[in-house]
Amino acid sequence: MTRDTKSGDATRDVLRFTFRHWRGQPGYVGLIVGTMMASTLADVFMPVFAGRLVDAITVGEADRDAALHAALVAFALMTGLGLVTIVMRHLAFYGIVELTLRVMSSVAQDAFARVQRFSTDWHANSFAGSTVRKITRGMWALDLMHDTLLLALLPSLVVLVGSMVVLGLHWPVMGLVVAVGTAAFIVMTVLLATRYVAPAARLANAWDTKVGGTLADAMSCNAVVKAFGAEEREDLRLTRVLDKWQSRTRRLWQRGTNSGTVQFIALLAIRAAIIGTALWLWWSGDATPGDLAYVLTTYFVIHGYLRDVGMHVNNLRRSVNDMEELVAIHREPFGVVDRPDARPIRIGRGEIAFEHVDFHYAGHATPLYRDLSLVIRAGERVGLVGPSGSGKTTLVKLIQRLYDLNGGSIRIDGQDIAEAQQASLRAQIAIVQQEPILFHRTLAENIAYARPGATMAEIERAARLANAHDFITRLPKGYGTLVGERGVKLSGGERQRVAIARAFLADAPILILDEATSALDSESEVLIQQAMERLMEGRTSIVIAHRLATVRALDRILVFDKGRIVEEGSHESLYRQGGLYRRLCDHQGLEFAKDDRFGLAAE
């Protein structure tokens, strides 16, 4: 695809996207179009009465009273047209404010809703800062788009066509000059904007997005930057990105300047053609002094609108470029989509069955799972262990339906999760992640995220069960304390206990614990272990563990290797088998030897 074709496709996509949102606000669009056309037609007829006013003055020596009357009528009509213009433009601007705010809100909400529902892979491969920049830049581009199309290009079109018609009815040759000059100018301006300036703008926007992503990446990882004293390194990284952004933006602005200069030269040629034609008509006796005044006044109106057309086309091009990435978000596939007939799932006992499951990550050469069958009984506590990349985390992601299967099915209480609504499925699965993520909101809000309607008493009860209540009450604002972005104001153990409290409040029949005690001090580990044991009571629980001490007391342990379950059983039976599980335990033997709770020191 050529660059020009790409630019044309982008313009069509953006305009279709904008018009689709206009269809949701027909009243405001109709108000703006109607009032702007009325206001602009008043501008078209203003020069007609200016010419009559001049004629009345110049030919009024014979009958001054009649001349005064004709002049006053022309003056009154000009004043009336001016009032019409003011009132109509006021109504149009009132309408554009409401329309723009409504559409901007709708677009932002739609984009946010889509991004929230994109696949796990999409989020893993996207900068959060860049995505935010695409949405906000596209939102504000809509403001410019609306002003350009409805308040600028629409009235310009009405004035130019109206002036051609009125002039052409009186002097066909003048109408032809205006029509040819106007058409040539508009075509030239559009070509400059779309084929000369737009490609540079697209590259400049891409680097603008990268600047946002680079800033967000460094800021969100500031603790790591400080830990390695890497501030200057990050400064240099941003400098390299800014150098590229500066180069691309400079080229864009220079092309915009060149485009503007060419347009002014073209306007000078059109002015010379119109004024020259008017003088010729006067010399030929086909135009009076009032006619000349009318032509000159009309020319000044046309000149103003034509000059602005160049600016408006450039603004339209800029708004299209700024909205391209936002519109592209709406073209992205969701990845995992609810079926049209999907129904809410109802999980009671919580039995999970993998039936001949095949799964293949996109871009990977070989499938991870081939014909995997597994049953996790209701209320059973199961541990998943094995080397990194063996398929443990993928298993729980498939249970949450973060990916679609390539074959087979997963059933919960006999219900195929592929036929269920994703939101209802995930609402009945509580998960405590290895690195729990908290919102920059209060502790109460973070705990209540599992159940927004929870009372303060229910929130506190969940916190007590998670061994979190005591540290929360020691904070200056207690449950009203803001935790910082991603919970950075709390320690790892505190964040983990808040996540467990959230899981308690969810009271879901299925529980997933993803290495929830890793990288914690011994005191926090004991508190969290106690909370986890309480949390697992009466629930189907799946525990992903690298530290094998955390799975010793579970009902069953599944040992994964390269996407297959190679061993399963209790801790004691697996250890005595002398297979992969035994080797994994021996690698952590020093850790086990220090703790008689796990029963390995005596073996």
Side-chain angles (χ1 to χ4, degrees):
M1 179 182 291
T2 66
R3 184 174 292 179
D4 293 341
T5 304
K6 184 176 180 181
S7 178
D9 290 344
T11 302
R12 283 192 293 273
D13 287 345
V14 169
L15 290 176
R16 276 197 295 264
F17 177 83
T18 304
F19 297 154
R20 186 168 66 248
H21 282 85
W22 283 7
R23 286 198 294 270
Q25 306 290 335
Y28 285 109
V29 174
L31 171 67
I32 297 163
V33 171
T35 52
M36 283 308 297
M37 288 188 71
S39 169
T40 309
L41 286 173
D43 278 346
V44 170
F45 286 101
M46 184 75 73
V48 174
F49 298 108
R52 291 183 182 178
L53 179 62
V54 171
D55 274 342
I57 294 172
T58 56
V59 301
E61 295 300 327
D63 189 348
R64 292 179 62 84
D65 290 338
L68 178 62
H69 179 267
L72 289 175
V73 168
F75 172 70
L77 289 171
M78 291 173 66
T79 304
L81 288 173
L83 289 174
V84 168
T85 299
I86 292 171
V87 173
M88 292 296 102
R89 286 180 64 83
H90 177 79
L91 291 174
F93 275 80
Y94 169 81
I96 204 77
V97 167
E98 287 300 318
L99 174 69
T100 301
L101 289 175
R102 288 168 183 254
V103 173
M104 285 175 69
S105 298
S106 173
V107 164
Q109 197 160 5
D110 289 349
F112 178 72
R114 288 190 68 86
V115 169
Q116 290 286 91
R117 289 158 179 79
F118 283 161
S119 68
T120 302
D121 281 348
W122 188 93
H123 283 279
N125 292 318
S126 302
F127 272 127
S130 295
T131 303
V132 170
R133 183 76 179 120
K134 291 174 185 178
I135 294 173
T136 55
R137 185 171 60 216
M139 275 177 61
W140 285 107
L142 268 167
D143 180 31
L144 180 60
M145 171 78 75
H146 285 182
D147 288 351
T148 301
L149 289 176
L150 296 173
L151 300 185
L153 286 177
L154 174 65
S156 295
L157 182 63
V158 172
V159 162
L160 295 173
V161 173
S163 298
M164 287 179 219
V165 171
V166 174
L167 285 171
L169 289 174
H170 199 53
W171 301 290
V173 66
M174 181 65 78
L176 181 63
V177 169
V178 172
V180 171
T182 299
F185 181 83
I186 292 174
V187 169
M188 180 199 70
T189 301
V190 170
L191 290 176
L192 283 171
T194 57
R195 300 194 176 187
Y196 179 64
V197 181
R202 188 172 294 109
L203 279 175
N205 279 345
W207 280 97
D208 178 74
T209 298
K210 289 180 183 179
V211 169
T214 303
L215 287 168
D217 190 37
M219 290 179 183
S220 62
C221 297
N222 182 258
V224 179
V225 175
K226 280 186 166 54
F228 289 92
E231 288 87 351
E232 289 187 8
R233 193 191 317 161
E234 292 301 319
D235 290 346
L236 183 60
R237 179 183 177 86
L238 178 62
T239 298
R240 288 196 295 267
V241 175
L242 284 173
D243 285 345
K244 273 287 191 182
W245 166 83
Q246 189 181 72
S247 170
R248 297 293 185 252
T249 304
R250 179 184 296 109
R251 185 174 70 159
L252 167 63
W253 291 354
Q254 286 173 345
R255 288 193 175 191
T257 300
N258 296 340
S259 175
T261 300
V262 171
Q263 289 170 32
F264 278 117
I265 292 171
L267 283 173
L268 179 61
I270 294 171
R271 179 172 65 185
I274 291 176
I275 295 178
T277 302
L279 288 173
W280 176 73
L281 288 170
W282 170 75
W283 181 256
S284 302
D286 294 324
T288 64
D291 290 334
L292 283 180
Y294 161 51
V295 171
L296 289 174
T297 307
T298 299
Y299 162 71
F300 288 126
V301 172
I302 292 173
H303 178 86
Y305 276 95
L306 271 182
R307 181 192 60 209
D308 290 345
V309 160
M311 179 183 68
H312 301 327
V313 170
N314 283 329
N315 284 340
L316 181 62
R317 184 268 313 155
R318 191 174 74 188
S319 61
V320 166
N321 288 140
D322 286 351
M323 287 178 64
E324 278 183 82
E325 292 177 317
L326 171 65
V327 174
I329 287 176
H330 286 75
R331 290 198 302 267
E332 286 278 348
F334 280 117
V336 179
V337 183
D338 283 342
R339 295 180 180 178
D341 58 346
R343 300 182 303 275
I345 191 171
R346 300 187 184 279
I347 301 176
R349 299 170 60 246
E351 180 178 272
I352 304 169
F354 282 65
E355 299 179 350
H356 307 288
V357 167
D358 295 327
F359 179 70
H360 193 159
Y361 277 112
H364 286 223
T366 57
L368 178 61
Y369 296 143
R370 287 192 183 93
D371 197 32
L372 175 67
S373 293
L374 166 69
V375 175
I376 298 174
R377 295 181 295 276
E380 188 178 20
R381 301 176 304 163
V382 175
L384 310 181
V385 303
S388 296
S390 58
K392 306 182 299 295
T393 301
T394 300
L395 190 85
V396 300
K397 287 182 176 179
L398 294 182
I399 292 173
Q400 299 172 81
R401 204 185 163 213
L402 296 177
Y403 298 95
D404 276 327
L405 305 179
N406 298 110
S409 65
I410 299 173
R411 296 181 179 276
I412 298 180
D413 290 343
Q415 305 163 87
D416 189 342
I417 65 172
E419 298 175 357
Q421 294 174 354
Q422 295 174 67
S424 71
L425 169 67
R426 294 169 193 156
Q428 297 175 79
I429 300 174
I431 182 167
V432 180
Q433 296 161 321
Q434 181 176 355
E435 296 181 6
I437 299 172
L438 304 183
F439 295 96
H440 183 31
R441 303 171 191 175
T442 66
L443 280 161
E445 287 175 300
N446 272 286
I447 295 172
Y449 201 77
R451 184 147 51 92
T455 64
M456 198 63 217
E458 291 171 325
I459 293 170
E460 289 186 14
R461 178 178 177 277
R464 289 179 190 278
L465 289 170
N467 289 333
H469 178 74
D470 289 345
F471 92 77
I472 291 175
T473 54
R474 289 195 296 270
L475 295 172
K477 294 185 180 180
Y479 284 87
T481 302
L482 291 169
V483 302
E485 188 176 6
R486 300 172 71 88
V488 294
K489 292 184 180 180
L490 305 180
S491 70
E494 290 169 342
R495 286 198 301 272
Q496 201 66 271
R497 279 177 274 170
V498 171
I500 293 173
R502 192 158 58 191
F504 267 115
L505 194 61
D507 197 22
I510 297 175
L511 172 67
I512 295 171
L513 300 172
D514 186 358
E515 194 57 69
T517 60
S518 65
L520 298 177
D521 61 87
S522 56
E523 182 179 352
S524 294
E525 183 179 357
V526 170
L527 290 172
I528 288 172
Q529 194 74 41
Q530 292 171 349
M532 284 168 50
E533 289 170 2
R534 284 195 291 266
L535 183 57
M536 285 189 285
E537 289 177 7
R539 294 181 173 86
T540 303
S541 304
I542 301 172
V543 181
I544 301 174
H546 293 288
R547 298 177 63 184
L548 302 181
T550 59
V551 299
R552 175 193 174 276
L554 299 181
D555 302 324
R556 183 162 49 127
I557 298 169
L558 305 177
V559 184
F560 281 79
D561 188 28
K562 298 177 182 177
R564 296 183 301 113
I565 299 173
V566 294
E567 300 171 16
E568 64 176 297
S570 66
H571 161 73
E572 290 79 8
S573 66
L574 289 174
Y575 190 80
R576 291 189 178 93
Q577 284 179 19
L580 176 59
Y581 183 77
R582 173 66 177 257
R583 292 197 302 274
L584 293 172
C585 287
D586 288 344
H587 288 158
Q588 300 179 22
L590 290 174
E591 183 179 343
F592 283 124
K594 294 176 184 176
D595 196 337
D596 288 339
R597 286 178 300 166
F598 307 122
L600 290 177
E603 295 197 22

